[in-house]
Amino acid sequence: MPASDASASVSATRDAGRARRGLLLLAAVSLLAGATACDDGGDGGWKAPGKGQAAVLLHDEPSGPPGRQFDGDLDGLTIASDGTAYVLLDGIQRIKGDRTMESLRTNLTDNSSGLVALPDGSLIFGRDHAIQKYDRDQQVSVLAGDPGKVRSTTAPVPKSTSAVGFRFGDNAVAPIGVRPDGSLIVLDGDVVWSLAKGRLTRVYEVPAADRKSRGLESHPTAAVDHNGIVYVVSRPADSTEYSRIADIMAIHTDGTSAPVALPRSVVGMKGRPADLKVSALTADGADGIYVDTADHNGTYVLHLHGGRADLVARAAYDAHGNYRDANCDLKHPVDAKKLPCGLPSSITYGEGKLLLGGNEHYLLQIGTK
């Protein structure tokens, strides 16, 4: 073979080899990209936060339909036993597995307050001075109360009464949780009720002697733990005073009540936990509660249990009293104790995760297990 032909043959062979390697590399990249797309589940690579981490579950839709804006107070927030999250806001909104929202029911906004998911898949909420149920057949029924009607301020509160047709007080009535015996706990102004088998039974009422100085806060500052203990906030009657963790009261199943047990300090925080302002609280699925709270340095989530208080999440203010990332543009889970953005004002727990929403443009998820 002439030298020129041999040189051309070698060059062609090298070019073919490069082409084959290029095709193999392109195929490998394509396969990797395809695998990544599958891992993403079509959800942009979102990853649920692990224990001690936080991530934005979704941002709201400022220009979207009613119920898709989170920058005001939420009427209710809950997590069902299958891990599905629901928001009560201009109706019932479900957060689907792809982190989009679906409106299940609209026009449930009149004096709506509180949202509780039952094991059978139904949802309980307060609306128009009544406790109502949204069942699996998408039907709404009244479990307790007389919609649109309230009892006189001078009317005595019975120890027990038929639920349907009973007139609750003039505050928004709200379901707050379920006791181990299956009874639903309802907050009705300064009265706490247990609802079971079509009857309301009084669990607690603010003593007459204390009503001028104290009162119970409404949803979302109430919860029921796994032992049936009801937690409420007994606020100062002077509305200019913020309720504090020291104002949280535990109502036991025998009807006795006492301030929640607190330590003098919390690891990783300055000051006393008793002095922190309360925004919301939720049961922890066991024998304690999570509290969404704040002071002049930032916002926090504390876990209160067995006389202890553990720091779960923190969002610190900068020197100007702002957060570093107001939009909370988190691209991946971060340390929940070093959040660059604010903690929303409502909180719920379920299936090993905390969900926070309200007065921010996003829902924030925190892993606890």
Side-chain angles (χ1 to χ4, degrees):
M1 179 183 296
S4 60
D5 291 343
S7 177
S9 177
V10 170
S11 177
T13 300
R14 287 175 177 171
D15 289 343
R18 291 191 189 99
R20 282 195 298 273
R21 287 194 296 273
L23 287 171
L24 288 171
L25 179 60
L26 179 60
V29 171
S30 298
L31 285 171
L32 180 60
T36 303
C38 290
D39 290 342
D40 287 350
D43 198 18
W46 188 82
K47 182 180 179 182
K51 183 178 180 180
Q53 294 182 322
V56 172
L57 181 63
L58 73 142
H59 286 85
D60 68 357
E61 302 174 31
S63 301
R68 308 296 174 87
Q69 298 80 31
F70 309 141
D71 58 333
D73 291 333
L74 302 185
D75 296 322
L77 184 65
T78 193
I79 298 174
S81 58
D82 65 356
T84 302
Y86 296 88
V87 177
L88 184 64
L89 182 66
D90 287 313
I92 298 174
Q93 317 293 335
R94 178 168 62 191
I95 311 300
K96 299 193 295 183
D98 61 358
R99 297 189 304 120
T100 60
M101 297 185 70
E102 176 186 15
S103 295
L104 300 183
R105 187 84 181 209
T106 57
N107 301 321
L108 296 177
T109 58
D110 296 337
N111 297 313
S112 294
S113 182
L115 187 63
V116 172
L118 298 185
D120 67 1
S122 58
L123 298 168
I124 310 298
F125 58 95
R127 180 198 179 200
D128 199 18
H129 302 290
I131 296 297
Q132 304 191 22
K133 177 180 180 179
Y134 176 85
D135 63 26
R136 290 175 295 179
D137 296 325
Q138 302 182 356
Q139 300 300 309
V140 175
S141 58
V142 174
L143 299 183
D146 188 359
K149 305 293 180 62
V150 299
R151 69 172 176 269
S152 166
T153 55
T154 59
V157 177
K159 290 184 178 180
S160 181
T161 183
S162 295
V164 176
F166 174 73
R167 293 187 177 183
F168 289 111
D170 60 358
N171 292 299
V173 60
I176 58 175
V178 179
R179 277 180 161 172
D181 62 4
S183 60
L184 178 73
I185 299 299
V186 174
L187 186 59
D188 168 29
D190 287 340
V191 183
V192 179
W193 299 97
S194 171
L195 172 60
K197 299 179 180 179
R199 293 194 65 81
L200 288 165
T201 301
R202 190 177 68 206
V203 172
Y204 176 83
E205 183 178 10
V206 175
D210 296 339
R211 289 176 194 161
K212 290 185 178 180
S213 60
R214 312 290 298 183
L216 299 186
E217 279 201 354
S218 59
H219 166 83
T221 53
V224 184
D225 76 11
H226 188 68
N227 296 321
I229 297 174
V230 179
Y231 298 87
V232 293
V233 174
S234 176
R235 69 179 187 278
D238 182 355
S239 61
T240 62
E241 288 290 327
Y242 286 101
S243 297
R244 303 179 184 277
I245 288 184
D247 296 320
I248 299 176
M249 181 174 63
I251 304 170
H252 299 272
T253 54
D254 62 1
T256 60
S257 62
V260 68
L262 294 171
R264 293 186 176 181
S265 61
V266 179
V267 175
M269 292 184 64
K270 297 179 180 179
R272 303 189 316 153
D275 297 332
L276 294 170
K277 301 171 184 177
V278 175
S279 298
L281 51 92
T282 186
D284 66 357
D287 60 352
I289 54 175
Y290 291 101
V291 185
D292 192 350
T293 185
D295 65 7
H296 64 280
N297 292 313
T299 51
Y300 318 88
V301 172
L302 295 186
H303 185 199
L304 307 184
H305 58 112
R308 295 178 54 190
D310 301 321
L311 177 64
V312 175
R314 169 170 42 202
Y317 299 135
D318 62 19
H320 304 288
N322 302 313
Y323 297 113
R324 288 187 289 116
D325 181 4
N327 295 323
C328 211
D329 293 322
L330 302 181
K331 303 302 182 184
H332 52 77
V334 299
D335 186 340
K337 296 179 183 178
K338 298 178 181 180
L339 281 168
C341 44
L343 288 163
S345 59
S346 291
I347 186 170
T348 190
Y349 171 84
E351 303 305 303
K353 61 189 177 186
L354 288 165
L355 185 63
L356 293 88
N359 293 299
E360 297 288 356
H361 285 284
Y362 47 84
L363 298 180
L364 189 72
Q365 183 173 317
I366 299 174
T368 63
K369 291 184 180 179

